[in-house]
């Protein structure tokens, strides 16, 4: 028994281990992507069909086997069409640039605290006065395609500006406001809606949009309900509701500060280069 195991292991090289690790990682990521999406049911269905095809081959059920094999060929084309949004999401994830330091990480600690304070003050006001708001903070994934759906603002963030943007009746109060670093880049932006079926029925499109963008990117969504004033945060497709303002402040600061220190370790040279260029301006 031990001999068989040793024989087996002696044939496994370094490249095989790397190969298995890569395939394992890819399968893990794919499963993460499809969890709680339309694709989850489809993958289950496909696995059953693969099993039936396999069994029909073993038991020489020629007609069934022929139909299933041909259905698979056609099915690949159909899958690309039907699951275009999921494929796009996966490719966007793979294509996230880690080499260009995001504006998010360009803030120093003091600036991060100021930005957080401005957002928190506005969110607290929105919550107390039941003003609906949807604020998206960009991180590594560039949200240029989303920004294009709204109106460019490109102004330093402030509580007053956020208050003006979400003031009911203001032209840009509908849709999402996008924050990049310490600037409000755009407002009135249209976000992709989450397709999650597990979401509470009392959550409408504002919350669905806030979650949707975090499924497609690493952005953070801050959502204030117009109906109840409840504050929520969405990250990585997950929504945390019923947050008090202190928790929101702590969460935002933690995310900002951890990102800043991470980026300093990851790309010190680029950070230095960009900061120098900024200093020179
Ligand atoms: N795709 C979208 N992208 C950005 N914002 C959106 C999108 N769809 C809807 N919204 C915003 O959500 C608002 C509608 O909110 P709705 O009442 O349907 O959602 P809700 O989650 O129940 O929020 P609330 O608790 O504030 O009522 C719209 O007026 C608009 O501002």
């Amino acid at each position: 028994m031990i001999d068989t195991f040793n024989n087996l292991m002696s044939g496994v090289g370094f490249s095989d281990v790397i190969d298995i690790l890569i395939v394992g990682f890819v399968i893990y990521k794919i499963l993460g992507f499809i969890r709680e999406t339309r694709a989850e049911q489809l993958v289950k269905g496909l696995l059953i069909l693969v099993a039936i095809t396999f069994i029909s081959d073993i038991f020489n059920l020629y007609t069934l086997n022929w139909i299933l094999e041909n259905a698979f060929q056609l099915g690949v084309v159909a899958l690309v069409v039907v699951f275009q949004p999921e494929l796009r999401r996966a490719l966007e994830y793979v294509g996230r640039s880690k080499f260009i330091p995001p504006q998010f990480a360009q803030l120093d600690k003091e600036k991060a605290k100021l930005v957080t304070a401005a957002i928190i003050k506005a969110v607290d006001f929105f919550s107390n006065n039941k003003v609906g708001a949807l604020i998206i903070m960009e991180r590594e994934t560039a949200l240029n395609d989303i920004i294009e759906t709204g109106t460019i603002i490109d102004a330093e963030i402030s509580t007053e500006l956020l208050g003006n943007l979400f003031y009911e009746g203001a032209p840009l109060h509908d849709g999402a406001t996008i924050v990049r670093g310490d600037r409000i880049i755009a407002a009135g932006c249209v976000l992709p809606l989450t397709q999650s079926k597990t979401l509470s029925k009392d959550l409408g499109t504002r919350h669905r949009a806030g979650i949707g963008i975090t499924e497609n990117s690493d952005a953070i969504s801050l959502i204030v309900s117009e109906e109840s004033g409840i504050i929520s945060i969405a990250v990585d497709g997950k929504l945390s509701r019923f947050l008090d303002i202190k928790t929101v402040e702590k969460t935002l600061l933690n995310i900002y500060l951890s990102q800043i220190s991470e980026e300093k370790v990851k790309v010190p040279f680029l950070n230095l280069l960009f900061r120098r260029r900024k200093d020179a301006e």
Side-chain angles (χ1 to χ4, degrees):
M1 176 76 179
I2 292 177
D3 278 352
T4 322
F5 180 73
N6 282 342
N7 281 344
L8 210 69
M9 288 317 282
S10 64
V12 178
F14 180 68
S15 58
D16 297 318
V17 175
I18 298 289
D19 195 22
I20 291 167
L21 284 177
I22 292 174
V23 172
F25 180 75
V26 170
I27 292 175
Y28 171 75
K29 282 291 173 190
I30 291 175
L31 288 177
F33 272 123
I34 63 175
R35 209 160 28 111
E36 288 179 18
T37 65
R38 293 179 298 158
E40 189 176 7
Q41 296 306 320
L42 180 110
V43 169
K44 283 182 192 159
L46 271 180
L47 287 178
I48 292 171
L49 281 183
V50 169
I52 296 175
T53 312
F54 191 63
I55 292 167
S56 66
D57 193 33
I58 291 175
F59 290 102
N60 298 327
L61 306 174
Y62 296 118
T63 319
L64 183 61
N65 191 264
W66 181 85
I67 291 173
L68 285 171
E69 279 186 355
N70 282 291
F72 272 123
Q73 282 170 21
L74 266 180
V76 172
V77 181
L79 282 184
V80 174
V81 176
V82 174
F83 287 97
Q84 188 262 343
E86 280 81 1
L87 286 173
R88 185 187 153 160
R89 199 179 126 205
L91 288 175
E92 274 173 358
Y93 179 86
V94 173
R96 265 178 214 167
S97 166
K98 300 273 180 191
F99 302 107
I100 301 166
Q103 297 294 311
F104 190 89
Q106 293 301 300
L107 302 176
D108 54 34
K109 263 189 185 176
E110 287 315 306
K111 215 43 191 267
K113 283 183 186 162
L114 285 177
V115 170
T116 308
I119 295 176
I120 289 299
K121 209 169 156 196
V123 166
D124 196 28
F125 175 84
F126 296 151
S127 172
N128 291 332
N129 294 280
K130 295 195 178 165
V131 176
L134 182 51
I135 302 170
I136 310 303
M137 293 155 77
E138 184 186 68
R139 287 206 274 178
E140 288 192 25
T141 313
L143 300 178
N144 293 350
D145 52 338
I146 300 290
I147 288 165
E148 278 166 18
T149 64
T151 302
I152 301 292
I153 308 281
D154 198 13
E156 195 159 312
I157 197 162
S158 70
T159 307
E160 293 75 15
L161 182 53
L162 283 170
N164 267 334
L165 287 173
F166 287 109
Y167 181 74
E168 212 195 331
L172 297 176
H173 86 282
D174 257 340
T177 286
I178 314 290
V179 173
R180 176 180 282 167
D182 59 350
R183 300 186 78 75
I184 293 179
I185 290 295
C189 299
V190 180
L191 309 180
L193 302 182
T194 177
Q195 302 297 326
S196 171
K197 292 187 182 77
T198 55
L199 215 60
S200 163
K201 290 279 176 284
D202 50 291
L203 296 177
T205 47
R206 195 191 313 276
H207 290 81
R208 284 199 167 268
I211 300 168
I213 186 69
T214 69
E215 291 172 341
N216 288 282
S217 72
D218 62 353
I220 304 161
S221 293
L222 270 175
I223 310 153
V224 182
S225 165
E226 190 173 19
E227 215 172 292
S228 59
I230 290 168
I231 310 170
S232 308
I233 292 185
V235 182
D236 280 337
K238 290 178 192 75
L239 185 76
S240 306
R241 290 181 76 196
F242 308 105
L243 302 175
D244 61 78
I245 198 71
K246 280 278 158 229
T247 311
V248 178
E249 183 174 18
K250 238 193 227 166
T251 310
L252 277 194
L253 260 182
N254 277 344
I255 295 174
Y256 261 127
L257 296 182
S258 68
Q259 184 96 6
I260 290 167
S261 50
E262 247 176 53
E263 286 306 321
K264 282 211 175 109
V265 175
K266 257 198 286 181
V267 280
F269 168 70
L270 286 175
N271 271 340
L272 209 68
L273 193 76
F274 273 67
R275 194 150 295 145
R276 287 232 174 98
R277 214 184 279 164
K278 263 193 164 176
D279 291 345
E281 279 170 11

